[in-house]
Amino acid sequence: MFAKEYCDVSISMDADLQDDVGATDEMIARYEGGCDIVYGVRNNRDTDSWFKRTTARGFYRLMEHMGVEMIPDCADFRLMDRRALIGLSEFHEVNLFLRGLVPLIGYKTDKVCYARGKRFAGESKYPLKKMINFSIQGVTSLSVEPIRMITNTGIFIFLISILFLIWGIVQKARGVTVAGWSSLIVSIWAIGGLILFSIGIIGEYIGKIYLETKHRPRFLIDETLNDGIRKPDISRRP
């Protein structure tokens, strides 16, 4: 945000020096070709362990299921020109999940694939606990889908209670029921489903409040036409 006032284009990258500096030449070429944002995307994950590869793929699938637009295998290695940085500054939220926010800016984008090298020095500061927290932050910052999952679960459980009720009536007609069993099970499932459904409804309103407090821009204009047309002077109208 500080750099946007002084640069035509900026490139961000991780401090562990695993990102290929040589890929920046291609990024700049794509920028000169008209792109506002260029993502550096890993062409493979051979340097990662099996666990990290599996969890990373699962994370991107989860975010896609939650309705979050992300660029797979793209961390913080990206090029953004001044216009894109100004667009990012319109997002006033404090907890920034850049991997999900940058695609929301829009504008013309492209990708540059590169081979991620080994860590230059030190050890990763992202153990499993931080990776889980990072995933939770991404989901909760950009999606209210978990709240809707609670609502849908409540509806599903309530429907199961209806099935139990129908099954109990049928068993009663057959004369093979245990006294009090059907009414107890139906009551537990019905009340549990209604409680979850009610929590989900309240959560929907809280989710809307949460999104409103972020003060995200409604739109970012990519291009305007007819800038030279003079606007009518409405102050003289009767």
Side-chain angles (χ1 to χ4, degrees):
M1 292 297 95
F2 180 82
K4 76 179 188 300
E5 303 295 337
Y6 304 94
C7 70
D8 294 320
V9 61
S10 69
I11 297 178
S12 60
M13 59 193 306
D14 289 336
D16 55 16
L17 304 181
Q18 288 184 276
D19 297 324
D20 184 10
V21 179
T24 58
D25 293 334
E26 182 63 24
M27 287 182 168
I28 294 173
R30 303 288 176 90
Y31 159 72
E32 292 175 343
C35 293
D36 296 279
I37 302 172
V38 182
Y39 298 100
V41 179
R42 300 176 59 174
N43 55 16
N44 62 68
R45 285 186 169 269
D46 295 340
T47 58
D48 292 342
S49 63
W50 175 88
F51 177 77
K52 191 169 184 178
R53 286 197 302 268
T54 304
T55 54
R57 290 168 184 164
F59 170 70
Y60 286 116
R61 287 179 187 148
L62 173 64
M63 297 300 284
E64 182 181 1
H65 179 71
M66 294 293 176
V68 178
E69 182 182 356
M70 290 183 61
I71 308 299
D73 297 327
C74 174
D76 295 312
F77 190 28
R78 68 177 69 87
L79 176 149
M80 299 177 67
D81 65 5
R82 181 184 297 174
R83 184 170 73 151
L85 290 174
I86 292 175
L88 180 61
S89 68
E90 295 293 323
F91 293 80
H92 300 292
E93 53 205 89
V94 177
N95 298 313
L96 296 176
F97 187 74
L98 289 177
R99 300 188 192 187
L101 282 181
V102 174
L104 292 179
I105 298 174
Y107 299 147
K108 186 177 180 180
T109 64
D110 205 343
K111 303 176 185 176
V112 171
C113 296
Y114 71 99
R116 189 173 175 85
K118 295 183 178 180
R119 188 179 184 88
F120 178 74
E123 297 179 355
S124 174
K125 303 301 188 295
Y126 254 85
L128 178 61
K129 182 179 180 181
K130 284 190 176 182
M131 291 176 62
I132 294 175
N133 291 335
F134 180 76
S135 302
I136 294 174
Q137 179 186 351
V139 172
T140 55
S141 296
L142 296 166
S143 175
V144 293
E145 193 64 28
I147 297 175
R148 297 197 176 108
M149 291 173 61
I150 296 175
T151 306
N152 295 333
T153 302
I155 295 174
F156 177 72
I157 292 177
F158 182 76
L159 292 177
I160 289 179
S161 71
I162 299 298
L163 295 178
F164 270 124
L165 177 62
I166 296 173
W167 182 80
I169 293 174
V170 172
Q171 292 296 93
K172 178 68 174 179
R174 294 175 58 192
V176 292
T177 58
V178 177
W181 186 88
S182 297
S183 58
L184 178 63
I185 294 300
V186 170
S187 299
I188 291 175
W189 280 77
I191 293 174
L194 290 174
I195 290 175
L196 282 177
F197 178 73
S198 301
I199 293 174
I201 293 297
I202 296 172
E204 285 285 342
Y205 286 97
I206 295 175
K208 292 183 183 298
I209 295 172
Y210 175 61
L211 293 177
E212 287 289 339
T213 57
K214 291 179 177 292
H215 300 295
R216 291 178 178 172
R218 294 183 180 179
F219 55 84
L220 295 173
I221 298 175
D222 180 27
E223 182 181 1
T224 58
L225 303 176
N226 301 326
D227 287 341
I229 296 180
R230 183 177 59 86
K231 294 182 180 180
D233 185 4
I234 62 175
S235 61
R236 298 182 180 180
R237 294 182 180 178

